[in-house]
Amino acid sequence: MERPERAQAHLRRTRRTVESHPQRHDATEVIVDGRRLRNFCSNDYLGLSAHPALAEAATHCLQREVFGAGASHLVTGHMREHHALEEELADFTGRERALLFSSGYLANLGVIGALAHRGDRILADRLCHASLLDGALLSGARLRRYPHADPRAAGRLLQQRGHDSDGASGLNARAAQTRRTLLITDGVFSMDGDVAPLAELCTLCGPSHALLLVDDAHGLGVLGARGGGSLEYCGVAPATVPVLIGTLGKAFGSFGAFVAGDAALIDQVLQHARSYIYTTALPPAVAAATRAALRLIVEEPWRRERVQALTQRWRRAADAQGLPLSDSPTPIQPLIVGEAAQALALSEALMAEGYWVSAIRPPTVPAGTARLRVSLSAAHAEADVDALAECLGRHWRERQ
Ligand SMILES: *Cc1c(COP(=O)(O)O)cnc(C)c1O
């Protein structure tokens, strides 16, 4: 192959088909291409996707309910299970209301689009999830990105209010006065595992009346003694983060997403979020399964403690193997490799030994920072964590 083509090939996206999970209640073991692999790259941090309580709740719901919701929430699709889940999520996150979306991607498109418009301004962390950026771009607001996890740089951008030459002249004076600034960040960064400096961002947003939106897809259920996520981890009160996005396909082991906030904000989203209004509601059995997951998250903190202990164990074992650790306190433990080809080669070497750790390459991560995104789950065994560290250490040293 010519060099440019090879570079292309190293960035080409492919997928593998999971044939089955041979142990019904352990999603970390999968059969792929007829081979048994230990999955170390899912977002199932608490192991709930395979918990029997979720399947039982869905099955129980299906015994008395239709499968498909049949319409959007605003037509006839909003069912009792959805409504109960929204109330429980509001309660769990300490907010007046929560609103369900069919996925986190749709939640971010819809919520940002409902809250920001042309003439408004959005400040976003440079490493924000693609769905947040897409939401910002689609909203028509002016998007400025600040260096990753740098509240001082975000503060400087906030100060520039009024100095932006972004066509405000085209808006009348009243519109200019009501222009809004939205500051958006992931709670836990999905490819790095670090936690946003939420306390500092809250301090910035308060006096400047910027609206802070936190997408805690990887924090909720995992971080904090109660599973309150990155807000609990950072010790910030719910009121200081007016817009909280959570997803239900990761630690919750289910599917869907929600936004939580005060009643007026949620009504604004319900009235205007196109990805809420113009899409079919989730199957009610999915909402029922998610309610079961939420009960486990609240009532059984041991899964959080276990994934935290396994994360510490991984960091000690990886360090002992001479692997460079990233500065991440979460179950997302990336190993930055650099070139996409190297990350792919390492991923394939691990697969040959029975471990599934995907190579994450540009443009999902910045150029030159291709990585293996190791993620831990409460469902992993200590011995598997140790064995992966040994295996990865061996291949890492071979390639130096
Ligand atoms: C995964 C993810 C999403 C998308 O959530 P889905 O429910 O999978 O669509 C949104 N934001 C962040 C930060 C994510 O990691």
Side-chain angles (χ1 to χ4, degrees):
M1 255 193 280
E2 290 302 310
R3 292 196 68 202
E5 284 174 54
R6 217 163 58 204
Q8 264 334 100
H10 292 145
L11 298 178
R12 213 182 124 68
R13 299 178 194 270
T14 58
R15 52 191 195 170
R16 289 192 156 91
T17 303
V18 174
E19 286 153 32
S20 72
H21 293 87
Q23 312 275 348
R24 228 183 111 221
H25 299 318
D26 175 8
T28 69
E29 194 180 29
V30 294
I31 306 281
V32 175
D33 294 333
R35 301 199 30 245
R36 197 171 281 254
L37 299 177
R38 192 57 69 181
N39 184 351
F40 271 100
C41 53
S42 92
N43 302 312
D44 187 15
Y45 305 117
L46 301 178
L48 293 183
S49 74
H51 196 289
L54 275 68
E56 277 160 25
T59 308
H60 186 242
C61 177
L62 286 172
Q63 281 160 0
R64 57 197 155 76
E65 267 306 346
V66 293
F67 180 74
S72 67
H73 284 275
L74 293 169
V75 179
T76 62
H78 187 63
M79 302 175 62
R80 218 174 47 182
E81 289 289 350
H82 299 128
H83 201 75
L85 174 58
E86 286 183 346
E87 290 181 340
E88 289 160 9
L89 287 169
D91 200 39
F92 175 62
T93 57
R95 282 145 202 278
E96 282 177 8
R97 278 190 74 185
L99 192 73
L100 276 181
F101 279 79
S102 294
S103 75
Y105 189 88
L106 290 175
N108 284 333
L109 290 192
V111 171
I112 296 170
L115 299 178
H117 308 99
R118 203 176 98 73
D120 291 333
R121 198 169 55 146
I122 298 179
L123 308 184
D125 188 291
R126 188 166 288 290
L127 294 188
C128 268
H129 191 261
S131 58
L132 290 166
L133 292 176
D134 290 356
L137 291 171
L138 196 61
S139 74
R142 179 186 165 88
L143 172 64
R144 304 287 306 270
R145 299 171 77 180
Y146 59 86
H148 176 53
D150 186 344
R152 291 174 57 156
R156 283 193 294 274
L157 286 178
L158 266 178
Q159 298 286 318
Q160 284 175 13
R161 185 128 185 82
H163 301 289
D164 283 349
S165 55
D166 61 349
S169 54
L171 301 162
N172 65 34
R174 191 177 153 344
Q177 267 176 15
T178 56
R179 285 201 306 167
R180 177 183 245 177
T181 299
L182 197 61
L183 195 151
I184 63 183
T185 182
D186 296 28
V188 173
F189 287 88
S190 52
M191 296 302 143
D192 293 82
D194 56 333
V195 181
L198 292 183
E200 292 86 342
L201 293 175
C202 288
T203 306
L204 274 180
C205 287
S208 59
H209 301 290
L211 194 63
L212 179 59
L213 180 156
V214 174
D215 174 353
D216 208 17
H218 300 272
L220 272 183
V222 179
L223 294 182
R226 288 179 43 257
S230 50
L231 277 68
E232 187 183 349
Y233 180 87
C234 294
V236 305
T240 55
V241 178
V243 195
L244 176 70
I245 307 277
T247 65
L248 305 169
K250 291 166 181 162
F252 282 73
S254 181
F255 186 70
F258 67 94
V259 56
D262 70 30
L265 181 118
I266 297 301
D267 190 58
Q268 189 181 352
V269 174
L270 185 149
Q271 299 300 328
H272 300 290
R274 296 169 66 82
S275 64
Y276 180 78
I277 300 168
Y278 298 110
T279 198
T280 302
L282 289 169
V286 172
T290 309
R291 294 180 68 196
L294 179 56
R295 276 193 292 280
L296 292 169
I297 284 173
V298 170
E299 290 168 10
E300 301 187 6
W302 66 263
R303 283 190 191 78
R304 268 188 290 291
E305 290 156 17
R306 179 168 168 79
V307 73
Q308 216 29 261
L310 288 174
T311 299
Q312 292 316 315
R313 188 182 183 99
W314 164 259
R315 290 181 66 82
R316 281 193 304 273
D319 192 44
Q321 290 291 334
L323 293 167
L325 290 172
S326 295
D327 191 14
S328 160
T330 69
I332 301 169
Q333 293 288 323
L335 180 74
I336 312 289
V337 177
E339 292 311 311
Q342 290 290 324
L344 275 181
L346 269 175
S347 174
E348 276 157 26
L350 290 179
M351 190 161 266
E353 297 203 36
Y355 300 100
W356 194 0
V357 186
S358 300
I360 308 286
R361 296 160 288 162
T364 303
V365 292
T369 71
R371 66 197 67 187
L372 294 182
R373 180 184 181 273
V374 173
S375 61
L376 297 152
S377 166
H380 285 132
E382 281 81 354
D384 288 326
V385 171
D386 297 348
L388 174 64
E390 185 281 320
C391 180
L392 187 48
R394 192 158 28 80
H395 288 288
W396 177 263
R397 288 189 298 273
E398 269 170 24
R399 271 155 222 279
Q400 295 309 297

